[in-house]
Amino acid sequence: MAEAPIFTLKNVSLAFGDNRLFSGIDINISKGNKICLIGRNGSGKSTLLKVIAGLIEPDEGEIFIQPSTRIAYMPQEPDLSRFANLKEAILSALPVKENNEYLADIWLEKLSINGALSPATASGGECRKASLAAALINSPDILLLDEPTNHLDITTIEILEGIIRDFKGAVVIISHDRMFLSHVSQKTFWLDRGKMHTSDKGFTHFEEWQEAIINQEIIEQTRLCKQIAEETEWLHKGVTARRRRNMGRLRRLLELRRERKEQIKQIGRVELSIEEGDFRSKLVIEAKHISKSFGERTIIKDFSTRIIRGNKIGIVGPNGAGKTTLIKLLTKRLAPDSGFVRIGKNLEEAYFDQNRITLDPKKTLWQTLCDKGDHLMVQGHWRHVVAYLKDFLFKPAQAHCPVSALSGGEKNRLMLAKTLAQPSNFLVLDEPTNDLDMDTLDLLQEVLDEYTGTILIVSHDRDFLDRIAGSVIYMQGDGTIFENAGSYSDLLSKISSSPLTTPAPAGKPAVPAALPRTKSSQKLSYNQERRLKILPEEIAALNQEIAQLTQELSDPDLYQSAPDRFDEASKLLEEKHQEVSAKEEQWLELALLKEQLGA
């Protein structure tokens, strides 16, 4: 028997001027629910969370809260400036502060927060952890979290996952972090074009569920002989196509990892010296035995690497481990204490700044991208500024809006558009995924996949790194650094199975140990190899059938002239989509298994 809800919204609507965010919203929240709230930037997710928190009154509808229900809210951009230190900010959430300091101390320890830090000098990650502790300290019945993983390191994100899993109350979470949502959510609220869809399954099943809803929408609109709405067409042909696993993209990613593995072997085998000929021309960065300390603290200890044109490398580690310092050393913005860094010729760098300091809030989106005229050069091609903005999911009407009117996610989107429009063959991306919705993340992954230059990415988004990076540099926080040619998930399993460093002789720095191979058979079976070979052919044939059925169903007269055929073709189309998804999933599993075996 389902538990009675402790919070209910019924037929709730809200508009800001002429902009109607949502209407007819019905949701129920019961004790213990772990809910993810999904939707594009600007769809009204954060506003809906504020309605639930009681910070905004809806224009219409009913709100029911079970008596004595406590609701705690963590905003997307917490403002702690009025507090003297982070401990005071945490204590402020308690109705009675006397004799309750021990509660703050518990959360300071659990989340590794320095309570004496001033919010003015604390990092974004420290302020976010303090805001999270303030939301949790009063043991609420409903916990509302708006992008809680932004600025958090991977270790803290994993701690947060455990806290949410053990939390007895209900949790509603807005996040772009797919892996985080997959680990913690059990229900899904999808806010799409002002309407709410709900599912009793967690985020793991979201993409399949979303695609089924969109496909049904298209069939219904065709049945009514209406032209498909622009945003529905975009969703169907854009988002779902990107989210369906792209085998060509995966092949390129696996090839990048194989190439990077060979490069790392060469670095470990011989002294770093630039070979003559083609290899020299491909060199982007060579670092040899670099070290860096600030005072008594060692940030980087005897690290060497060689980065070649086309490498896509992720950089991970705890907050404060020195990821930004490493980037500054590799790009020669900062000199090492010892060792040297060499940069290849004709390097054109574009840098994405997570703090968005290069955006002028007074300028319009148009002026931000194009100070003069109405066209800009992007990757060697002239693009009209409005068309380019549409690529990044901005509406034409937004072109003349000031940057200050954008949400956090929209500012990040604009920052990406500005960065990627610069002529470059080397991208440095510092936390590019913060505040982005999943549709924009899909778009960014597509753009980075097609980028032919070299990329360094600092990110705490594990799923994003798995999809983009050919290798991952891991900084432990004690100066030790090593690189793994593979996904972040692969790195994580190696970290958990063995130490990353081996003892070194006196006077010599520690060096990364040889990482153990996963215990498994040495190669794929004959049947597995055969399936891996023929699945792409089967998928191509199915996609051809899908294209023919889609073309047939696009005829607006079909339903009137042959309703039975329309129903038959619609059902067949859905079956073919399911077949393709199943075969792509099978191919993906076999391809990843082959990579893991080193075949």
Side-chain angles (χ1 to χ4, degrees):
M1 183 177 177
E3 191 165 345
I6 57 176
F7 183 94
T8 297
L9 292 182
K10 186 175 181 181
N11 200 29
V12 164
S13 300
L14 182 65
F16 293 134
D18 295 331
N19 180 26
R20 179 166 289 277
L21 277 181
F22 45 76
S23 61
I25 298 292
D26 293 326
I27 60 170
N28 293 310
I29 301 172
S30 299
K31 184 179 179 181
N33 284 167
K34 304 296 192 297
I35 302 165
C36 59
L37 175 55
I38 307 298
R40 291 172 63 183
N41 287 140
S43 63
K45 302 187 302 294
S46 294
T47 303
L48 181 60
L49 216 61
K50 290 176 183 177
V51 170
I52 299 172
L55 301 175
I56 294 178
E57 287 287 329
D59 298 331
E60 301 171 359
E62 301 175 15
I63 300 177
F64 168 77
I65 308 175
Q66 199 174 89
S68 75
T69 297
R70 296 188 304 273
I71 300 177
Y73 166 66
M74 175 187 171
Q76 187 176 139
E77 297 182 3
D79 180 10
L80 308 181
S81 58
R82 65 185 184 279
F83 301 109
N85 55 55
L86 297 183
K87 183 174 182 178
E88 183 182 310
I90 297 169
L91 282 169
S92 69
L94 288 170
V96 179
K97 295 168 188 62
E98 292 82 2
N99 303 319
N100 278 335
E101 284 202 18
Y102 74 96
L103 292 172
D105 292 336
I106 290 171
W107 285 107
L108 288 171
E109 181 178 356
K110 187 173 288 189
L111 294 172
S112 301
I113 303 169
N114 183 349
L117 282 178
S118 165
T121 57
S123 67
E126 287 290 318
C127 288
R128 189 159 291 270
K129 286 193 288 185
S131 182
L132 179 61
L136 286 160
I137 194 171
N138 204 29
S139 300
D141 300 294
I142 300 176
L143 178 63
L144 308 174
L145 303 176
D146 195 346
E147 294 288 0
T149 64
N150 278 358
H151 306 292
L152 296 187
D153 59 36
I154 291 171
T155 301
T156 307
I157 292 172
E158 290 169 349
I159 292 170
L160 177 57
E161 287 176 359
I163 290 170
I164 292 173
R165 280 194 296 267
D166 297 338
F167 187 69
K168 303 301 182 186
V171 186
V172 184
I173 308 163
I174 297 172
S175 179
H176 66 270
D177 189 325
R178 285 181 168 91
M179 194 174 290
F180 173 70
L181 291 180
S182 295
H183 288 172
V184 301
S185 65
Q186 299 165 349
K187 295 184 69 173
T188 303
F189 292 170
W190 178 29
L191 187 56
D192 176 46
R193 289 162 287 163
K195 301 297 181 183
M196 179 67 77
H197 305 276
T198 61
S199 169
D200 288 329
K201 294 182 179 180
F203 180 75
T204 305
H205 305 275
F206 172 68
E207 292 180 4
E208 177 186 348
W209 172 60
Q210 180 201 40
E211 188 164 354
I213 290 173
I214 293 170
N215 286 338
Q216 186 59 37
E217 247 183 61
I218 291 172
I219 290 170
E220 288 174 359
Q221 289 191 8
T222 306
R223 189 190 300 273
L224 294 171
C225 301
K226 291 182 178 178
Q227 184 178 5
I228 296 175
E230 181 180 345
E231 64 263 38
T232 304
E233 184 179 5
W234 181 88
L235 277 167
H236 181 64
K237 294 183 178 178
V239 179
T240 59
R242 291 189 192 105
R243 286 185 176 161
R244 193 174 294 121
R245 287 179 172 87
N246 184 307
M247 296 193 302
R249 189 184 306 177
L250 180 58
R251 285 194 191 97
R252 289 193 294 273
L253 182 57
L254 296 180
E255 183 60 32
L256 276 175
R257 288 175 180 163
R258 280 192 287 270
E259 289 176 3
R260 190 60 185 161
K261 193 176 292 184
E262 289 304 312
Q263 292 166 12
I264 292 172
K265 284 180 184 176
Q266 291 173 18
I267 293 167
R269 194 165 53 234
V270 296
E271 281 292 298
L272 279 175
S273 58
I274 305 176
E275 286 88 347
E276 296 298 323
D278 189 50
F279 198 76
R280 177 193 289 267
S281 68
K282 290 182 178 180
L283 184 82
V284 175
I285 294 171
E286 180 189 40
K288 186 175 180 181
H289 302 303
I290 59 172
S291 297
K292 187 68 182 178
S293 298
F294 293 108
E296 296 182 356
R297 187 183 170 208
T298 300
I299 304 295
I300 293 163
K301 181 170 53 182
D302 192 33
F303 177 61
S304 298
T305 190
R306 177 190 282 153
I307 299 172
I308 306 303
R309 189 176 68 218
N311 287 163
K312 295 174 182 177
I313 300 173
I315 302 177
V316 299
N319 283 338
K323 298 185 290 295
T324 301
T325 300
L326 178 60
I327 282 179
K328 288 181 178 178
L329 288 169
L330 293 178
T331 56
K332 300 192 78 169
R333 288 178 169 84
L334 188 65
D337 297 337
S338 60
F340 75 86
V341 174
R342 190 198 318 258
I343 291 181
K345 294 180 179 179
N346 304 317
L347 202 62
E348 292 183 280
E349 178 191 304
Y351 182 79
F352 176 89
D353 167 41
Q354 64 167 315
N355 296 314
R356 303 188 286 258
I357 57 175
T358 58
L359 291 181
D360 184 342
K362 296 178 182 178
K363 285 188 174 182
T364 65
L365 278 66
W366 185 306
Q367 292 168 334
T368 299
L369 295 177
C370 190
D371 269 334
K372 297 178 181 178
D374 55 9
H375 281 73
L376 69 162
M377 181 69 76
V378 181
Q379 301 292 311
H381 301 283
W382 285 104
R383 299 292 310 280
H384 192 280
V385 65
V386 174
Y388 186 59
L389 282 168
K390 286 177 70 175
D391 285 351
F392 286 84
L393 315 182
F394 290 104
K395 297 176 182 176
Q398 290 180 282
H400 296 288
C401 290
V403 170
S404 58
L406 300 178
S407 67
E410 287 172 326
K411 287 176 182 175
N412 252 24
R413 235 191 281 155
L414 181 62
M415 188 70 205
L416 282 170
K418 181 179 173 67
T419 303
L420 295 171
Q422 296 176 34
S424 72
N425 50 28
F426 180 41
L427 273 179
V428 180
L429 304 174
D430 190 359
E431 291 291 356
T433 65
N434 281 348
D435 300 318
L436 295 184
D437 59 31
M438 290 172 192
D439 294 344
T440 311
L441 279 174
D442 287 335
L443 173 68
L444 177 59
Q445 287 165 15
E446 187 174 90
V447 170
L448 296 183
D449 174 65
E450 293 172 355
Y451 186 76
T452 56
T454 305
I455 306 176
L456 282 182
I457 311 169
V458 175
S459 180
H460 298 136
D461 190 320
R462 297 157 291 180
D463 181 82
F464 180 76
L465 288 175
D466 278 355
R467 294 170 184 240
I468 294 298
S471 66
V472 178
I473 291 175
Y474 177 70
M475 305 184 71
Q476 292 191 143
D478 61 357
T480 306
I481 305 174
F482 91 104
E483 183 177 355
N484 177 56
S487 67
Y488 169 77
S489 297
D490 178 46
L491 167 70
L492 193 62
S493 66
K494 290 175 178 177
I495 291 173
S496 61
S497 65
S498 68
L500 298 182
T501 57
T502 53
K508 291 188 177 182
V511 295
L515 293 166
R517 293 188 66 83
T518 305
K519 291 183 180 179
S520 58
S521 58
Q522 294 303 304
K523 61 181 182 179
L524 297 179
S525 69
Y526 170 78
N527 285 335
Q528 287 173 323
E529 283 282 9
R530 184 171 177 274
R531 289 299 295 157
L532 190 62
K533 183 178 180 180
I534 66 175
L535 275 168
E537 298 171 7
E538 294 177 358
I539 291 166
L542 282 168
N543 280 328
Q544 189 171 359
E545 291 181 57
I546 287 170
Q548 291 170 351
L549 287 166
T550 303
Q551 179 67 29
E552 183 179 1
L553 286 167
S554 67
D555 180 0
D557 298 326
L558 179 62
Y559 179 70
Q560 297 292 340
S561 60
D564 291 342
R565 175 54 191 165
F566 178 87
D567 291 338
E568 180 188 357
S570 298
K571 184 179 179 181
L572 192 59
L573 180 62
E574 182 61 29
E575 290 173 356
K576 297 298 179 185
H577 274 302
Q578 290 174 1
E579 282 186 61
V580 167
S581 295
K583 288 181 184 294
E584 286 181 342
E585 185 76 27
Q586 187 182 2
W587 184 90
L588 176 71
E589 290 171 358
L590 289 171
L592 291 176
L593 178 60
K594 186 171 183 176
E595 181 198 21
Q596 185 182 29
L597 297 177

